[in-house]
Amino acid sequence: MATVELTAQNIESQITENGIVFVDFWAEWCGPCRMFGPIFEKASQEHADVVFGKVDTEAEQALAASAGITSIPTLMAFRDGILVFSQPGALPAPTFEDLIGQVKALDMDAVRASIAEAQAGEGAAEA
């Protein structure tokens, strides 16, 4: 599967309707982005069960701002609509492959329980 161009119009549906989504926030003028691009594209062809989307931060400035992007490239990973990874910087291919494996292996019931526990703690702190 090739990478998908993500925009303000389609990013939410891509994240919520697919199990695992990796998002690469990039720009044409960014050297590290151009270095990471082929690694991201190759992974998209090797993992047909995962959606790999790219956000051009120049064309989608409002989307990048709403996502809190302050440095590019920034890589985000979503699983079952939940943000499970976010980090600026280009990753070497072996590290990216390892990350893909880790996201696939996540126990999402444990992740949801952890989120619920954290939210309950926030509610108690506000009371």
Side-chain angles (χ1 to χ4, degrees), residues 6-27:
L6 298 177
T7 65
Q9 289 72 38
N10 72 354
I11 191 167
E12 186 174 342
S13 64
Q14 287 290 334
I15 289 169
T16 58
E17 295 171 11
N18 294 289
I20 300 174
V21 180
F22 282 89
V23 182
D24 175 22
F25 289 85
W26 70 285

Side-chain angles (χ1 to χ4, degrees), residues 59-126:
E60 295 290 334
Q61 291 181 13
L63 174 57
S66 71
I69 304 303
T70 57
S71 178
I72 55 173
T74 290
L75 180 65
M76 291 185 176
F78 295 86
R79 172 102 185 257
D80 299 343
I82 299 170
L83 177 65
V84 295
F85 178 86
S86 180
Q87 177 179 304
L91 297 177
T95 304
F96 188 39
E97 276 299 317
D98 183 55
L99 175 62
I100 294 167
Q102 289 181 48
V103 171
K104 286 182 176 184
L106 281 173
D107 177 347
M108 289 310 292
D109 289 335
V111 170
R112 283 187 278 278
S114 177
I115 291 170
E117 189 177 295
Q119 289 173 339
E122 289 174 8
E126 293 173 2

